Amino acid sequence: MAKPSLPQGTRDFSAEVVRKRNYIFSTIKAVFEIYGFEPLETPAMENLETLMGKYGDEGDKLIFKVLNNGLNNPKNIDKAKAGFEKLMEGKSTAELTERALKYDLTIPFARHVAMNHTKLTFPHRRYQVQPVWRADRPQKGRYREFTQCDADIVGSTSLMNEVELANMYHQVFINLNLPGYQLKINNRKILAALSLLAGGQEKMIDITIAIDKLDKIGLEKVKEELRLKELTEEQISVIEKYLTITGSNLDRIEQIKSLLGHISQGAQGINELEQILNLLRNVNIEIDFTLARGLNYYTGSIFEVKAPNEVQMGSIGGGGRYDDLTGLFDVPGIPGVGISFGVDRIFDVLEELQLFPTQVDAGTQVIFFNMGAAESIFAFGIMQQLRAQSIPCELYHEPVKINKQFSYAERKKIPFAVIIGSKEMEQNYCLVKNLSTGVQEVVVFDRLQDFFKQV
Amino acid sequence: MAKPSLPQGTRDFSAEVVRKRNYIFSTIKAVFEIYGFEPLETPAMENLETLMGKYGDEGDKLIFKVLNNGLNNPKNIDKAKAGFEKLMEGKSTAELTERALKYDLTIPFARHVAMNHTKLTFPHRRYQVQPVWRADRPQKGRYREFTQCDADIVGSTSLMNEVELANMYHQVFINLNLPGYQLKINNRKILAALSLLAGGQEKMIDITIAIDKLDKIGLEKVKEELRLKELTEEQISVIEKYLTITGSNLDRIEQIKSLLGHISQGAQGINELEQILNLLRNVNIEIDFTLARGLNYYTGSIFEVKAPNEVQMGSIGGGGRYDDLTGLFDVPGIPGVGISFGVDRIFDVLEELQLFPTQVDAGTQVIFFNMGAAESIFAFGIMQQLRAQSIPCELYHEPVKINKQFSYAERKKIPFAVIIGSKEMEQNYCLVKNLSTGVQEVVVFDRLQDFFKQV
C-alpha cells in the first residue's frame, strides 16, 4: 500500500506536545472549577439536523458529514440513491448522512440544555474542552481537527456573570504566566446605537462587519467599505468619531456618552459597561469600541483577548452575551454569556515566549540499566520501590552493552541512571549517574527513595 | 424542528459522570507515567485506506466513513457519481469518502509508528486514551462512541515487557480499590501446540474460536462445535484434557508440560509463561489455558482481566504480544506487547460496588448568598480570597429570596453557604452554614480561608 499518512489538516500529538497541551488544559480547567463551573462532554457526532442551518451557508459547507452504514444493503439502496441525488443538488440529506461531526461546542451545548432543561439547575455553569472538526482549507494555525475550550453561564442576565468570566480570563492568563495579555470589552448595544445614529438599524450588520476589519485593513479602507454600503459622508464621520475614541476607560466612557448616550440602547450598553468595569477593579481590562465580534448571535457584552504585544498572534480568546441559547431547539428564554480560549494559539504563544515550565515535559526520571539476568531481576525489585513513591522509572529491556543503554537514556532525555552490578547487589548500594552533569554518586538502597524525592 | 436528540449509541456525559470517568483515566494514566510510558494522541479521522482491511470483513462494515466535502461542486460531480456506484457495489471508495473515524487505537498507533519509526526511540512505550467509533448495534454497555485506553511497548521481544504490563494491571486495580480483580495469562504458542496435536495447524483458528466461547456455552457445546469442524473424538479428547487442567499455577505448568511439552512451540510457550510468572511474585495472576483471545494478531503471551466475582461483568481488560505491529504499513520488524483497559465496564463495576471516592464528584464547595447590591459586591471580594486558595466558590447571581438561593445550593449539592448581610459587613464576620448538617457558625473574615481549608 501507499506510504501511510495523516488526513490533511490533522495532527498526531507526540508526548511532548500532549504534555504541553495538558498543561494549558489543566490550567484553564482548574480556574473553571474554582469558579464553580461543571464539566460537560458531548459526543463527536451529532444528528445532522442538529447542526445544519446553524452556522450560515458557509459554515454548513464546512461540516464533516458521516456516511450512513449499510447503504448497499438491498433494503437501503433506493433510499441511498435518493439521498445521493439530493446531495448532488446541494441539499441536506439524512438518507445518506444522518450524522455529522460537531463544528463547535455551542450548538451541542444548546442541544444538551434543550434536551435537559427540566433537570438542570439554573443558572447553569458549564465548561467543555473537546475537539471540533471543520472542513476548512488547512493553513498555518488552522486545522481540521482542533480543540475548543468554552465556559458559559446560562439562565441568568446578571452582569455579575460577565464579571466572573472576565476574572477567569485574568486568572488563567496570570496562571499561564502571560500578564501582558490584553482583555478588551465592548457591548453590542453600543454598536446598535451607533448604527441607529449612522445609517439605521438595517445597516448594523454592514457596519459591524466593516468595523470588525479595522485591525486588518485600517480606517480609510473601512470608510471606503461603508461608502459602498451607501452610508452618507455625515454618517461615516460619526462612525469615524466612534472609532477614534481614545484615552483611559473613564475618558472613553465620557466620549461615548456624549456620542451615543442620548440613544436608549446606547445608554443601556454604556451603563452595562460601567457596572462591569466597576466590579473589575483588579482585572486589567480595556474598553475597545472598535471591537465588534463577527458572530451575530451576541446581543450584549462582547470580549476579546489579544496575546501580549511581543508576539504577532492576534486573538487568543473571545466571547459574549446572547439572549437565547436554545430557541433554535424550541426552548426559548435561556439567555447566557460565554467565553472561549484559543488553545492552539495559546500553545504557540507560550512556545514562542518559552513560557512552558520545564517540568511539564518530564517523563521517565530514572532508568535502571540492565546489567544481566540476575542483576536486572534485582534492579526490578529496587525500581518497584521507587515507583511505589510515584517516581517514574524504567528498566532497560535487555542486557546489552552499556553504551547502547546510555544512548537510549540520552535520546529519551532521562535525567538519572541507576547502575546495579553484581558487586553493588552484594554490598547494598548502587551508582546513580546524573546524565546531564555526568556526576556519579554512590547511594545505598535504603536512601535511594529519598535521593530521588529530593532532586 | 423535531425535538433535539442524540445519535443512537452516543452519550452526553454530565459533570458527575465526567468526574468519575476522569478519576478512572487519571488513575490509569498515573500508573502509565510511573512505568515510563509516554502519551500519544492521534486524530479522530484517519485516511480510509489506513483503516480498511485491517479488522476483517465484519469490522470493515462497522467503520464510520466521512463524506468528502464539496461533492456537488461541478468539477467533482463525475467523481462523486463514480464513487457512489462503487459504494453501492460494496466497494471501498475514496472518491466519496477519503476519511473515516478511527475504529481502535492500535491501527492509528501502527500508522504513527510506521510514519515516525526513524525518529522514535525503541523500545517505545506509549499510552493512548481516546474515543473510538464503531457502527455496531447499540445495546447495554455497547456504544458507538467509547473510550479505549491502551499501553504498548514496541520494538522489543523481552519478556520483561509482559512483566511490566502485568504489574501495571495490578497497580491500577489496586489503586482503583478493586483487589478482587482476576488477571489471567496464557500463551498463543501453547494454543498453537495444542492445535498441532489435535487437528493440525490449519485448525488453529477453529480451535481458538471454539475455546474462546467456553465461558459462554460450556464444554459440551465447545466439543459439538469442534465435531462440526471435523475434529476426531481423539483430538477432541486431547482438547478436553487441555481445557480441564486445574490447580495452582505450578500444578497447571506440570500438567501442560506433560500434555504439550514435547512439542517445540508448546515448550517455548510454557517456558515464556514460567519466566513471566517467576518475575511476578507480588502480582495476583492466574494461568488460564482456556483463555484464547479472539484476535488473530496475537502470537505470544495473552492477558485478560475479569471483574471481581461479586459483579457480573466479564472482561474489563485484555491484551497480548504480537510479532509485527507495522508490517501492514511496509515497516516490518517491530514486535510488541500491549494491554487495554475497558473503561466503560470498569466504570460500571466501580458504580455497582460503590467504589468511587466521595470527593470525586466535588464541585462548588461554598456558595455566597446574594443579600443585596452592596452586600454582594463585598461578598465577591471575600470570595475571591477563597478562590485564590483554590477553594471552588460561587456567588448567587441575583439578590432573590433566601429560600430560592438555598434551594439552588441544595440542588447543586454545595456543602457550605456563606451569608454576609449589612451587619456582618460592618462587624467583619460572616455566617457559615453547613448545608448537610444545618449547623451554622460565626466565622470572622480573617479565619474564613483556614475554616474551609480544614473541612
Side-chain angles (χ1 to χ4, degrees), chain A residues 265-337:
Chain A
Q265 279 207 73
Q268 210 184 325
I270 296 166
N271 179 264
E272 289 180 10
L273 257 187
E274 283 189 290
Q275 284 191 59
I276 294 167
L277 289 174
N278 262 331
L279 292 166
L280 282 174
R281 294 274 161 80
N282 299 319
V283 172
N284 155 28
I285 188 166
E286 186 189 305
I287 295 176
D288 181 353
F289 292 122
T290 73
L291 176 63
R293 302 286 300 161
L295 295 173
N296 284 319
Y297 59 78
Y298 290 133
T299 51
S301 309
I302 46 180
F303 293 107
E304 192 160 281
V305 185
K306 301 232 164 188
N309 277 330
E310 60 262 46
V311 281
Q312 291 273 329
M313 185 56 78
S315 167
I316 53 174
R321 175 167 285 284
Y322 40 87
D323 275 343
D324 183 6
L325 178 71
T326 50
L328 284 167
F329 299 108
D330 288 339
V331 180
I334 303 184
V337 55

Side-chain angles (χ1 to χ4, degrees), chain A residues 1-2 4-7 10-15 18-19 21-22 33-47 49-50 54 61-67 69 71-72 77 80-81 84 87-90 96-97 99 101 111-112 114-116 118-123 125 133 135 144-145 155-156 158 160-161 163-164 167 279 328-330 362-364 376-377 380 383-384 387 390-397 408 411-412, chain B residues 1-2 4-7 10-15 18-19 21-22 33-47 49-50 54 61-67 69 71-72 77 80-81 84 87-90 96-97 99 101 111-112 114-116 118-123 125 133 135 144-145 155-156 158 160-161 163-164 167 279 328-330 362-364 376-377 380 383-384 387 390-397 408 411-412:
Chain A
M1 66 174 289
S5 64
L6 275 169
T10 70
R11 300 164 284 175
D12 282 345
F13 296 125
S14 65
V18 171
R19 290 192 174 122
R21 286 168 58 88
N22 283 346
E33 290 275 347
I34 288 169
Y35 277 72
F37 285 69
E38 296 189 334
L40 170 70
E41 289 177 14
T42 66
M45 290 191 287
E46 291 280 347
N47 288 323
E49 63 167 352
T50 299
K54 310 301 191 297
K61 283 185 196 153
L62 303 183
I63 292 173
F64 279 113
K65 295 168 188 160
V66 177
L67 204 65
N69 287 74
L71 285 173
N72 67 329
I77 282 186
K81 284 184 176 162
F84 185 73
L87 179 76
M88 289 296 97
E89 293 161 19
L96 206 61
T97 60
R99 288 163 291 256
L101 295 182
R111 190 265 311 142
H112 171 82
M115 280 173 71
N116 297 284
T118 57
K119 284 179 278 177
L120 293 169
T121 306
F122 293 101
R125 295 171 173 235
W133 294 266
R144 288 184 162 172
E145 171 173 324
S156 162
S158 168
M160 201 45 118
N161 298 325
V163 173
E164 290 280 86
N167 268 291
L279 292 166
L328 284 167
F329 299 108
D330 288 339
T364 300
S376 68
I377 290 171
F380 186 82
M383 174 172 72
Q384 292 302 82
R387 284 174 168 170
S390 297
I391 299 164
C393 304
E394 283 177 52
L395 169 67
Y396 195 76
H397 66 128
Y408 172 86
R411 292 189 64 179
K412 286 195 70 175
Chain B
M1 67 174 287
S5 64
L6 275 169
T10 70
R11 300 164 285 174
D12 282 345
F13 296 125
S14 65
V18 172
R19 291 193 173 122
R21 286 168 59 89
N22 284 346
E33 290 275 346
I34 287 169
Y35 276 74
F37 285 69
E38 296 188 335
L40 170 71
E41 289 178 13
T42 66
M45 289 190 288
E46 292 281 347
N47 288 323
E49 62 168 352
T50 299
K54 309 300 191 297
K61 284 187 196 152
L62 303 184
I63 292 173
F64 279 112
K65 296 169 186 158
V66 177
L67 204 65
N69 287 74
L71 285 173
N72 67 328
I77 281 185
K81 283 184 176 160
F84 185 72
L87 178 77
M88 290 294 96
E89 292 161 20
L96 205 63
T97 60
R99 290 164 290 255
L101 295 182
R111 190 263 312 139
H112 172 82
M115 281 174 70
N116 297 284
T118 57
K119 284 178 278 175
L120 292 170
T121 306
F122 292 102
R125 295 170 174 236
W133 294 267
R144 287 184 162 172
E145 170 173 325
S156 163
S158 169
M160 203 42 119
N161 299 326
V163 173
E164 290 280 85
N167 267 291
L279 292 165
L328 284 167
F329 299 108
D330 287 339
T364 301
S376 67
I377 291 172
F380 186 81
M383 174 173 72
Q384 291 304 81
R387 284 174 168 170
S390 296
I391 299 164
C393 304
E394 284 176 53
L395 169 67
Y396 196 76
H397 66 128
Y408 172 84
R411 290 188 65 179
K412 286 196 69 178

Side-chain angles (χ1 to χ4, degrees), chain A residues 160 278-279, chain B residues 368-386 395 418-430 443-446 448:
Chain A
M160 201 45 118
N278 262 331
L279 292 166
Chain B
F368 284 75
F369 282 163
N370 192 321
M371 312 298 288
E375 291 88 343
S376 67
I377 291 172
F378 185 90
F380 186 81
I382 301 285
M383 174 173 72
Q384 291 304 81
Q385 296 172 10
L386 295 193
L395 169 67
V418 171
I419 302 161
I420 306 177
S422 51
K423 197 175 96 193
E424 286 81 10
M425 274 170 70
E426 272 168 32
Q427 304 190 351
N428 277 318
Y429 69 86
C430 56
V443 182
V444 294
F445 292 138
D446 287 348
L448 202 58

Side-chain angles (χ1 to χ4, degrees), chain A residues 64-205:
Chain A
F64 279 113
K65 295 168 188 160
V66 177
L67 204 65
N68 296 352
N69 287 74
L71 285 173
N72 67 329
N73 183 318
K75 69 174 197 280
N76 293 334
I77 282 186
D78 287 344
K79 221 172 78 172
K81 284 184 176 162
F84 185 73
E85 290 307 319
K86 283 198 203 163
L87 179 76
M88 289 296 97
E89 293 161 19
K91 292 183 192 155
S92 169
T93 162
E95 290 95 335
L96 206 61
T97 60
E98 280 171 31
R99 288 163 291 256
L101 295 182
K102 66 183 174 219
Y103 177 91
D104 72 356
L105 302 180
T106 304
I107 293 297
F109 175 50
R111 190 265 311 142
H112 171 82
V113 172
M115 280 173 71
N116 297 284
H117 66 104
T118 57
K119 284 179 278 177
L120 293 169
T121 306
F122 293 101
H124 177 55
R125 295 171 173 235
R126 90 85 173 78
Y127 71 87
Q128 198 170 348
V129 180
Q130 290 196 285
V132 300
W133 294 266
R134 294 184 187 177
D136 234 329
R137 190 183 301 273
Q139 60 181 49
K140 191 177 176 321
R142 192 204 279 159
Y143 302 99
R144 288 184 162 172
E145 171 173 324
F146 59 99
T147 301
Q148 288 196 335
C149 190
D150 286 13
D152 290 78
I153 307 177
V154 298
S156 162
T157 55
S158 168
L159 296 176
M160 201 45 118
N161 298 325
E162 272 88 339
V163 173
E164 290 280 86
L165 297 175
N167 268 291
M168 282 160 58
Y169 265 141
H170 173 75
Q171 197 59 55
V172 164
F173 290 114
I174 291 296
N175 292 359
L176 289 173
N177 206 1
L178 269 181
Y181 79 95
Q182 301 165 54
L183 174 57
K184 292 160 187 283
I185 187 169
N186 194 8
N187 194 301
R188 296 280 284 208
K189 288 171 185 156
I190 293 173
L191 284 159
L194 174 70
S195 307
L196 277 181
L197 193 66
Q201 205 177 345
E202 70 283 4
K203 295 280 186 198
M204 177 161 175
I205 292 179

